[in-house]
Amino acid sequence: MSRRKKVYEGKAKILYEGPEAGTLIQYFKDDATAFNNKKHATITGKGVLNNRISEYIMMQLSAIGVPTHFIKRLNMREQLIRAAEIIPVEVVVRNVAAGSISTRLGIEEGTPLPRSIIEFYYKDDALGDPLVSEDHLTAFGWTNPHEIDDMMAMALRTNDFLAGLFAGIGIRLVDFKIEFGRIYEGDLMRIVLADEISPDSCRLWDMQTNEKLDKDRFRRDMGGVSEAYQEVARRLGIAPDLESRLHQESNAAK
Ligand code: UDP
């Protein structure tokens, strides 16, 4: 594994060269960061859980016709993906006010929004991923109107699907962030959902208790991060072998 060529290392994931041209291996780390890298921690088992949860969600989305970069999960921490040219835009969909929209617009956390709202953030760590408008996206050439239409349509389909999926297991989908990439096939180019969809990139609240089952537990020092992610996996029905495997992995590390 160490001889594999590292293509990119981010905060929570590493990308390695894949076995064939046009593929990459996406490795999920246990590292967590927040507040533009000012806060760091290692959360044991997070990478394993996010690998599994993101696999499940990407496969479900693909089954309803939302194209994704996901090919297959390889092992506990790695998945094979199609190499995509990442569009430098974070697309956030919100159903309920929380986090930055609550602060920016003075809306109390937990207030349902009049309708689902899409926001764009320019992916730039040095700038702290600023909120931008569609006009910024096109004027600076980060993307174009056609791609924006595609991204918005896919973001809304993803929202409808995920909101239903989570409602079915007693979880409110408050908001989430997704990223898109371009894949070139001969003369054709298409946009696919990339990166990951996991409790790191979503706000998920228990419908009965409003308990947070997402990365806000880390951002707000609430503890029980890994337990909350495990609960999401358990409710999705993808946890049966995970708990024992997490246990094996942590024993092996000792
Ligand atoms: N989000 C993310 N990565 C980021 C910023 C936001 O995955 O770099 C997710 C976040 O987990 C939440 C949604 O996008 O589900 C909206 O985040 P918000 O703008 O409220 O920012 P935050 O409060 O996380 O700073």
Side-chain angles (χ1 to χ4, degrees):
M1 191 163 96
S2 53
R3 271 176 281 125
R4 246 180 1 203
K5 189 165 167 228
K6 194 190 281 187
V7 178
Y8 174 82
E9 178 153 7
K11 289 166 258 183
K13 295 188 293 291
I14 305 174
L15 295 177
Y16 295 100
E17 251 176 15
E20 288 159 35
T23 65
L24 292 171
I25 291 167
Q26 179 164 250
Y27 176 96
F28 287 75
K29 301 194 273 187
D30 281 345
D31 297 357
T33 65
F35 310 119
N36 201 19
N37 251 334
K38 288 187 195 85
K39 179 169 177 164
H40 285 260
T42 302
I43 297 159
T44 308
K46 179 176 83 80
V48 174
L49 287 155
N50 282 353
N51 184 25
R52 183 65 72 91
I53 293 170
S54 196
E55 168 199 23
Y56 180 79
I57 291 177
M58 292 281 185
M59 282 177 60
Q60 299 284 317
L61 284 170
S62 162
I64 62 154
V66 177
T68 83
H69 71 163
F70 181 83
I71 301 174
K72 65 174 180 182
R73 188 166 58 81
L74 297 171
N75 54 48
M76 294 272 283
R77 287 183 180 274
E78 295 177 328
Q79 45 183 247
L80 185 66
I81 58 170
R82 303 192 60 181
E85 176 186 284
I86 295 294
I87 298 172
V89 177
E90 297 192 339
V91 179
V92 168
V93 183
R94 302 180 183 274
N95 301 305
V96 176
S100 70
I101 197 174
S102 290
T103 322
R104 191 181 326 114
L105 302 181
I107 309 171
E108 192 184 343
E109 279 213 332
T111 310
L113 295 168
R115 59 178 169 82
S116 300
I117 292 175
I118 299 183
E119 294 173 341
F120 302 108
Y121 294 83
Y122 177 47
K123 257 171 81 73
D124 185 315
D125 280 342
L127 299 175
D129 299 343
L131 178 69
V132 292
S133 74
E134 279 186 51
D135 219 24
H136 293 111
L137 298 183
T138 53
F140 295 117
W142 298 324
T143 177
N144 62 46
H146 179 72
E147 287 183 345
I148 295 176
D149 284 351
D150 276 3
M151 290 193 288
M152 289 179 77
M154 283 161 67
L156 289 176
R157 284 202 72 196
T158 300
N159 185 48
D160 286 348
F161 177 78
L162 287 185
L165 176 74
F166 283 119
I169 53 172
I171 292 175
R172 178 169 298 118
L173 177 65
V174 172
D175 58 32
F176 63 94
K177 183 268 303 181
I178 44 179
E179 296 184 24
F180 294 90
R182 302 180 185 106
I183 285 185
Y184 296 89
E185 287 159 346
D187 288 343
L188 278 181
M189 188 274 287
R190 61 194 185 107
I191 291 189
V192 301
L193 204 56
D195 194 51
E196 72 179 296
I197 301 182
S198 72
D200 267 7
S201 56
C202 302
R203 282 197 173 91
L204 304 170
W205 294 357
D206 182 276
M207 278 181 162
Q208 301 296 324
T209 62
N210 278 334
E211 189 188 0
K212 295 183 198 307
L213 301 172
D214 56 56
K215 194 173 161 185
D216 271 347
R217 299 200 73 88
F218 166 69
R219 293 190 190 97
R220 303 180 187 190
D221 292 321
M222 300 168 77
V225 184
S226 179
E227 291 75 7
Y229 287 34
Q230 270 181 61
E231 176 63 13
V232 174
R234 190 190 66 76
R235 290 199 204 178
L236 286 171
I238 53 176
D241 59 327
L242 258 188
E243 278 172 32
S244 63
R245 287 192 167 224
L246 278 171
H247 194 66
Q248 276 169 18
E249 199 187 53
S250 72
N251 280 344
K254 278 177 195 158

